[in-house]
Amino acid sequence: MYDFAYEKPTALAAAVASLAGDMDAKALAGGQTFIPVLKQRLNKPTTVVDLAALGLVGITVTADSVTIGAMTTHGEVALSAAVQKAIPALANLASMIGDWQVRHRGTIGGSLANNDPSACYPSAVLALGATIVTDRRSIAADDYFQGMFTTALEQGEIITKVIFPIPQKAAYQKFRNPASRYAMVGVFVAKTAAGVRVAVTGAAQGGVFRHAAFEAALSANFSPDAIAGIATSADDLNSDIHASAEYRAHLIGVMAKRAVAGT
Amino acid sequence: MNAIFEGIGASVRRKEDLRFLSGRGHYTDDMNRPGQTHCVLKRSDRPHAIITSIDTSAARAAPGVVAVFTHADLDADGVGGVPCGWQIHSKDGSPMVEPGHPVLATGRVRHVGDPVVAVIAETRQQARNAAELLVIDYQDLPAVAHIADAIAPGAALVQEAAAGNTCFDWHIGDKDLVDAAFARATHRVKLDLTNNRLVPNAMEPRAAIGDYDAMSGDYTLITTSQNPHVIRLLMGAFVLHIPEHRLRVLAPDVGGGFGSKIYHYAEEAIVTWAAGKLKRPVKWTADRSEAFMSDAHGRDHASTAEMALDAEGNFLALRVATVANLGAYLSTFAPAVPTYLSATLLAGVYKTPAIYAEVRAIFTNTVPVDAYRGAGRPESTFLLERLLDTIAHDTGIDRIELRRRNFIPTDAFPYQTPVALQYDSGDYVSTLNAALKAADWDGFAARRAEAKARGKLRGIGVSTYVEACGIAPSKLVGALGARAALYEVAQIRVHPTGSVTVFTGTHSHGQGHETTFAQLVASQLGVPFENVDIVHGDTNKIPFGMGTYGSRSLAVGGTAMVKAMDKIIAKGKKIAAHLLEASVDDIEFANGNFTVAGTDRAKSFGEIALTAYVPHNYPIEDIEPGLEETAFYDPANFTFPGGCHVCEVEVDPETGVTTVVNFTAVDDVGRVINPMIVEGQIQGGVAQGIGQALLENAVYDEQGQLVSGSFMDYTMPRADNLPNISVGTETTLCTHNALGVKGCGEVGAIGSPPAVINAVVDALKDYGVRHVNMPATSQKLWQIIQDSSAQPAVANLSSN
């Protein structure tokens, strides 16, 4: 990696100030993407602002929501008895991210701020209609994801927590990229009082997206058979050595069916 | 006591694991020399280009930079190119095209990763910073990466001297005999198949430290090598012109090799030469990205195989044509892999009377290809065992019956094949029977039906194989083009109190030699296991040696130890005869005691050792003091392990995902010294074989960029990709070495890939599938299923 200055502020305002005042300063959450990027010299920040001392950790469950601090690790979410009870699909999703080492460092806030198109968390946030709370505002999931590695966050804006409404039912099915183990196709299905939401990660060039046809069919009839005949267009899906766009389109259907069956 | 619990046949725990498992191994990158500098290589990001200019001025001026070297600096010192250790002759008698392999690219780059400039600085960080300041101008040339593109008419030439990109066009066997057999055959079955290119990916990336002592003029190279003496020979004699007594090569703990650390690499020469130039140590350590683009790759063959059979399914003749991709330059043993290490195995375990094979080796704009675990034998085994199942498919003969019908009979050994090799021993029926029983072959139909009820396609596959290892008789390989000998060396030093140090020319990089060899020596000399120490990996300590590859360490290196021990025992008998006042012919040695035959008069091994070093009462007129012997052992033949692997898979027809649910290996590796280590070696080999069959693939795009250049895209097998692997052995002894050992390092990777693919094809048989090339990825199988559903099943048969 290139040389950079390192800060570890203890107050949120100080962290925001450090990041806002320097376009080339970067926030460090769990570092499970950012540190490898630095080691490969693919990024040259002036200052790395470590968010670990801001107290943004912890899980709070109420009757209708699960709130997760931005610096809470995937491992903590996966192993949380409260999350396992309130939204088991969310704990299950967290348990499928990376390996133990990654899960004990990687954080929900880091994942969402990065918005890797193959990350798992964006599908849960979008399907559950979660709210992303930052140092300055609350952002609805539908407004947050704006394309590959692109979000509604402003320069220097820091996610503090994520609030997940508790659904009636939900499930996540992940088809791993055989090499990287990222989601080659990940489908999160949530049944809520307001209807069914289906979010797909890993598959599309623009990152996570909602599957309108599946949502309509499942809102009418929440069963695997309801979407069995619905083909997903391969347009705008990723194609690489592991999976063509057509294969990904097919897997979206299979993963969605299995998710519904698994709720 | 020790002979019982720690001798031959005991599963002694590996003594080296204490340091390996507690993080206290001592690897090349762990070492640092006073005043050490760091080397970073600027590598080509172009598959094929002319270097029009190199501007090093900014890099030279960067902080901490000690030196920046290009090929011009090497040329000025007369540094030679990286040599090739094996020369093949084409059908017409002409030698292979052997282009230069410059240490730093000279005039042209020929693959992504070709080293161009060496930047040496006080720290690695400074060297990396400076390397980014290099300005290299290239004029891009058309590149070829794939076999089909490289052999197409008018293809761009990778090496100017190699017309048609052909390095050699070689053949073996009797073409006329084969043609005649095909003419009269009842069945002719033909199969086109590829053997996918692999990246070895040893856990420890390569590293090298060069050092120079200006007072003595001695050079030292510490390197991640499987064979330090070979590196000393190749680099000293051909590249840097340093005589052996001035060059010490150390290969300390090495974290896996699988063949990729046999070869002499440019980086070793760069750091050694630069150390002499700068009068300071120079260290280079590859990062994983560099490993992908600079470690020699494995496999990458495309073949057509045809078998002629009579009406009863007896093999009449085999015809094979292979194109082997050797990459941009000739790596150390590259020419031997598709020829003498592969085509000579085309008889397999079958009594095919006539065989003819042609091998065209070609250059491409890719990383050089060389031996990788199995080295040629996995390629021929995959070809044969896929062809066997294809014959069964096309003729309707049961695949097990087809194998039994054509096996070399157990009473036919020694068996001379039509392709040069003479198998000394084997029993293919017993390994087949044992494997089928252990795998419950007969109960498969029920398991298939049960899987079908769960929506899964279950398949079972078998492979029966033999391989040639324990390389090799020097005279024979010399006649076949080897530019080196392949004997092994052992020096046994018995210390005055009877403990023993063994110096071996083989090298352990995960195989457990420190344990296996100690068991061997302890049991032969009758001394406690813990009193035997194994020393390897240092050319200044060990007389000589050819290193570890080709499953040779025990068969060749271990036999050298036996020869040295025989000398120790013979001398000990003379000493004992003197002390016991008996005739030397009456002295027997067993269980650590020299005894006068038929009496209880004895001297222990320790007493004899002490007497040898304190020769107060000693036959000094007849023998010298001391108890230390050296032996060179040149094997009389290859060894021929073989066996049977059975694989059972389930394919998810919705996703195309294959899960290996059962794997059974029953191998004949000759006498087993440590069953636990043998089981581990076979399991590791099978893991790599399953990796090749289902997961691993080095993918180049049309332009010559390595697409699978990191673990993000190169699928290494992981624990959750693997089943529990059941390992059994059925033993016939090697007839030409003292221990009866054959070798176990590669059998797992040789026997398993066709068993896996045969199982996959079996799982998909209702879809009319005749063959699937490796790796059988989920995408590939899903596409096959899709295509089959869209068309009549028979349309998926490849045409003959």
Side-chain angles (χ1 to χ4, degrees):
Chain A
M1 53 183 76
Y2 296 106
D3 291 344
F4 51 79
Y6 173 80
E7 291 179 10
K8 192 172 182 180
T10 53
L12 184 59
V16 171
S18 289
L19 291 166
D22 180 354
M23 292 293 285
D24 294 322
K26 290 279 184 189
L28 172 66
Q32 296 307 288
T33 300
F34 189 45
I35 300 284
V37 163
L38 289 176
K39 288 173 76 172
Q40 290 184 68
R41 297 191 158 200
L42 297 173
N43 197 296
K44 195 175 182 178
T46 48
T47 303
V48 169
V49 181
D50 189 341
L51 308 182
L54 301 179
L56 303 176
V57 292
I59 295 166
T60 310
V61 178
T62 66
D64 53 11
S65 72
V66 172
T67 300
I68 301 175
M71 289 294 286
T72 307
T73 65
H74 312 321
E76 289 168 311
V77 175
L79 296 175
S80 163
V83 178
Q84 287 171 4
K85 185 161 180 280
I87 316 178
L90 187 61
N92 184 44
L93 174 145
S95 79
M96 287 194 274
I97 299 172
D99 52 26
W100 277 111
Q101 286 76 12
V102 167
R103 290 197 288 277
H104 280 299
R105 293 295 306 170
T107 66
I108 187 169
S111 173
L112 294 174
N114 189 43
N115 192 22
D116 188 305
S118 299
C120 292
Y121 262 131
S123 67
V125 168
L126 190 59
L128 291 167
T131 299
I132 289 153
V133 180
T134 74
D135 61 275
R136 63 201 69 168
R137 58 181 170 150
S138 293
I139 308 171
D142 284 323
D143 300 326
Y144 178 81
F145 300 103
Q146 299 187 351
M148 180 169 60
F149 297 112
T150 309
T151 69
L153 293 175
E154 299 165 353
Q155 171 68 27
E157 186 171 7
I158 294 173
I159 300 172
T160 57
K161 60 189 175 186
V162 185
I163 305 169
F164 293 92
I166 295 175
Q168 295 170 352
K169 288 179 171 181
Y172 179 64
Q173 280 284 330
K174 176 179 182 179
F175 191 101
R176 291 174 170 84
N177 176 307
S180 72
R181 304 293 176 101
Y182 275 80
M184 199 157 85
V185 169
V187 179
F188 200 104
V189 175
K191 185 170 187 284
T192 72
V196 175
R197 289 167 66 107
V198 178
V200 179
T201 190
Q205 293 165 16
V208 69
F209 69 96
R210 286 176 63 184
H211 200 301
F214 284 0
E215 290 185 356
L218 291 169
S219 293
N221 172 19
F222 193 75
S223 80
D225 293 343
I227 53 174
I230 301 174
T232 300
S233 168
D235 295 347
D236 302 325
L237 296 188
N238 288 317
S239 189
D240 54 36
I241 59 172
H242 303 288
S244 64
E246 292 73 22
Y247 183 41
R248 278 190 166 85
H250 168 79
L251 289 175
I252 290 170
V254 175
M255 293 297 110
K257 276 195 299 181
R258 291 182 181 179
V260 173
T263 56
Chain B
M1 187 76 102
N2 287 298
I4 294 167
F5 293 106
E6 293 164 345
I8 290 175
S11 285
V12 179
R13 288 199 181 179
R14 302 191 343 157
K15 58 180 175 180
E16 47 270 79
D17 283 347
L18 178 63
R19 67 178 193 277
F20 291 158
L21 298 180
S22 62
R24 276 171 271 189
H26 209 44
Y27 299 88
T28 299
D29 191 56
D30 294 327
M31 300 182 184
N32 294 291
R33 312 281 270 202
Q36 175 176 286
T37 62
H38 296 263
C39 176
V40 164
L41 291 167
K42 180 73 175 178
R43 297 178 182 277
S44 173
D45 56 359
R46 316 296 173 98
H48 198 193
I50 293 168
I51 302 168
T52 52
S53 69
I54 302 174
D55 182 352
T56 62
S57 54
R60 284 178 199 279
V65 170
V66 177
V68 178
F69 295 120
T70 69
H71 72 90
D73 301 293
L74 299 169
D75 292 348
D77 268 14
V79 172
V82 178
C84 180
W86 203 297
Q87 186 181 49
I88 296 292
H89 284 78
S90 287
K91 291 170 187 170
D92 63 6
S94 61
M96 66 185 188
V97 177
E98 194 170 353
H101 185 176
V103 168
L104 289 172
T106 305
R108 259 190 206 206
V109 291
R110 290 186 172 85
H111 68 88
V112 171
D114 213 352
V116 183
V117 184
V119 179
I120 296 166
E122 298 292 342
T123 70
R124 193 165 186 227
Q125 177 83 345
Q126 288 171 330
R128 281 190 80 172
N129 290 343
E132 293 184 0
L133 302 176
L134 292 165
V135 181
I136 304 172
D137 286 328
Y138 292 107
Q139 180 189 329
D140 286 319
L141 296 170
V144 288
H146 304 138
I147 286 172
D149 296 334
I151 63 175
L157 292 187
V158 178
Q159 295 285 358
E160 297 85 329
N165 286 315
T166 300
C167 174
F168 58 79
D169 187 5
W170 171 92
H171 67 162
I172 190 169
D174 190 329
K175 184 175 187 300
D176 293 340
L177 201 60
V178 167
D179 289 346
F182 268 86
R184 67 170 196 274
T186 307
H187 304 286
R188 298 172 196 85
V189 177
K190 184 174 176 180
L191 180 67
D192 293 325
L193 72 179
T194 60
N195 206 285
N196 43 327
R197 177 184 276 245
L198 304 175
V199 181
N201 280 319
M203 193 181 291
E204 178 205 23
R206 287 189 299 116
I209 304 170
D211 202 353
Y212 177 69
D213 182 337
M215 297 302 104
S216 64
D218 288 351
Y219 287 86
T220 300
L221 169 67
I222 308 170
T223 183
T224 50
S225 177
Q226 300 177 213
N227 30 246
H229 287 89
V230 174
I231 302 305
R232 186 182 68 171
L233 180 67
L234 293 176
M235 186 177 81
F238 296 99
V239 188
L240 300 183
H241 315 298
I242 304 169
E244 281 93 339
H245 70 294
R246 287 274 166 264
L247 175 58
R248 178 183 189 186
V249 178
L250 291 154
D253 283 337
V254 173
F258 313 112
S260 70
K261 293 173 181 168
I262 297 172
Y263 323 116
H264 174 43
Y265 286 97
E267 295 87 354
E268 295 169 322
I270 291 168
V271 297
T272 308
W273 171 81
K277 200 85 181 154
L278 302 173
K279 310 287 188 283
R280 291 179 65 181
V282 180
K283 180 180 197 173
W284 168 82
T285 302
D287 60 27
R288 186 58 68 180
S289 300
E290 275 186 290
F292 269 94
M293 62 174 107
S294 69
D295 294 359
H297 290 180
R299 320 280 195 253
D300 205 350
H301 291 185
S303 299
T304 298
E306 288 177 273
M307 189 74 87
L309 301 93
D310 69 14
E312 286 74 44
N314 295 303
F315 300 163
L316 300 176
L318 173 66
R319 181 189 283 151
V320 174
T322 291
V323 183
N325 185 350
L326 300 186
Y329 304 98
L330 291 178
S331 179
T332 308
F333 290 117
V337 175
T339 52
Y340 293 108
L341 295 177
S342 191
T344 49
L345 257 297
L346 284 170
V349 293
Y350 311 110
K351 52 185 168 56
T352 314
I355 298 173
Y356 178 67
E358 297 171 282
V359 177
R360 177 180 173 188
I362 60 158
F363 295 107
T364 60
N365 294 109
T366 62
V367 173
V369 177
D370 208 325
Y372 167 72
R373 202 170 191 170
R377 292 97 81 203
E379 293 90 323
S380 55
T381 301
F382 182 71
L383 178 150
L384 260 187
E385 291 304 294
R386 278 301 303 131
L387 184 60
L388 260 287
D389 269 30
T390 308
I391 293 165
H393 174 276
D394 288 7
T395 63
I397 301 171
D398 175 78
R399 49 194 160 148
I400 302 296
E401 174 54 30
L402 182 69
R403 285 174 167 83
R404 290 190 193 280
R405 204 171 290 177
N406 288 284
F407 271 164
I408 296 163
T410 305
D411 61 5
F413 295 94
Y415 178 79
Q416 178 64 50
T417 76
V419 274
L421 297 178
Q422 188 185 78
Y423 304 163
D424 65 329
S425 66
D427 182 351
Y428 310 130
V429 176
S430 76
T431 46
L432 174 67
N433 288 343
L436 294 180
K437 183 161 184 269
D440 187 23
W441 182 273
D442 293 339
F444 174 72
R447 297 194 293 280
R448 184 180 190 118
E450 185 276 332
K452 193 172 182 184
R454 288 184 283 110
K456 296 292 196 291
L457 307 169
R458 195 158 173 133
I460 194 165
V462 64
S463 95
T464 48
Y465 75 95
V466 64
E467 68 123 330
C469 63
I471 56 176
S474 296
K475 184 178 175 184
L476 174 61
V477 297
L480 302 181
R483 288 164 168 163
L486 283 166
Y487 52 79
E488 200 42 77
V489 186
Q491 185 176 45
I492 309 266
R493 180 174 300 162
V494 181
H495 301 291
T497 59
S499 65
V500 181
T501 302
V502 180
F503 300 87
T504 173
T506 65
H507 184 275
S508 188
H509 29 279
Q511 293 89 343
H513 291 176
E514 290 166 48
T515 302
T516 301
F517 290 159
Q519 283 179 256
L520 170 62
V521 171
S523 68
Q524 297 288 103
L525 295 182
V527 299
F529 171 77
E530 56 271 19
N531 284 6
V532 181
D533 203 26
I534 308 298
V535 175
H536 62 89
D538 183 345
T539 60
N540 270 21
K541 290 182 180 168
I542 296 140
F544 201 67
M546 300 310 298
T548 287
Y549 40 82
S551 305
R552 69 190 302 275
S553 300
L554 185 59
V556 190
T559 306
M561 288 174 203
V562 171
K563 277 191 72 181
M565 286 189 284
D566 287 346
K567 295 183 187 180
I568 295 276
I569 292 165
K571 185 171 181 180
K573 282 182 176 174
K574 289 181 184 173
I575 300 168
H578 177 86
L579 294 177
L580 296 167
E581 297 176 338
S583 162
V584 69
D585 296 335
D586 291 336
I587 302 293
E588 294 174 342
F589 179 71
N591 300 320
N593 285 303
F594 293 90
T595 310
V596 180
T599 76
D600 60 356
R601 291 192 297 136
K603 289 287 177 186
S604 73
F605 186 79
E607 288 175 287
I608 295 301
L610 191 61
T611 304
Y613 284 95
V614 188
H616 295 164
N617 177 15
Y618 197 78
I620 201 79
E621 297 79 12
D622 295 335
I623 52 175
E624 299 167 9
L627 199 52
E628 171 171 326
E629 297 289 349
T630 301
F632 285 56
Y633 172 68
D634 203 293
N637 193 356
F638 292 86
T639 59
F640 298 97
C644 177
H645 290 186
V646 179
C647 179
E648 207 163 323
V649 301
E650 283 188 6
V651 177
D652 179 343
E654 278 198 309
T655 61
V657 171
T658 299
T659 305
V660 181
V661 289
N662 288 318
F663 198 99
T664 306
V666 176
D667 299 293
D668 174 5
V669 298
R671 189 187 308 283
V672 172
I673 306 295
N674 184 318
M676 180 195 72
I677 288 178
V678 168
E679 185 173 356
Q681 284 287 311
I682 292 171
Q683 288 186 334
V686 169
Q688 282 177 302
I690 291 174
Q692 168 163 28
L694 296 179
L695 304 166
E696 297 184 51
N697 206 16
V699 180
Y700 278 92
D701 68 13
E702 302 290 322
Q703 287 74 43
Q705 291 288 340
L706 180 58
V707 179
S708 55
S710 79
F711 290 134
M712 289 295 282
D713 284 303
Y714 187 88
T715 312
M716 288 293 282
R718 302 181 207 191
D720 65 352
N721 295 122
L722 302 170
N724 285 321
I725 298 162
S726 161
V727 175
T729 52
E730 289 282 322
T731 301
T732 65
L733 296 179
C734 171
T735 62
H736 58 80
N737 64 44
L739 294 165
V741 297
K742 296 185 178 182
C744 68
E746 296 160 292
V747 292
I750 291 167
S752 60
V756 177
I757 296 298
N758 285 345
V760 168
V761 171
D762 183 53
L764 298 178
K765 68 179 181 183
D766 290 346
Y767 294 88
V769 174
R770 185 172 181 263
H771 176 65
V772 176
N773 271 322
M774 301 186 289
T777 63
S778 62
Q779 171 170 243
K780 188 181 286 179
L781 299 192
W782 173 77
Q783 194 65 54
I784 287 169
I785 291 168
Q786 288 300 111
D787 293 348
S788 170
S789 305
Q791 303 162 32
V794 69
N796 212 44
L797 285 163
S798 12
S799 62
N800 280 343

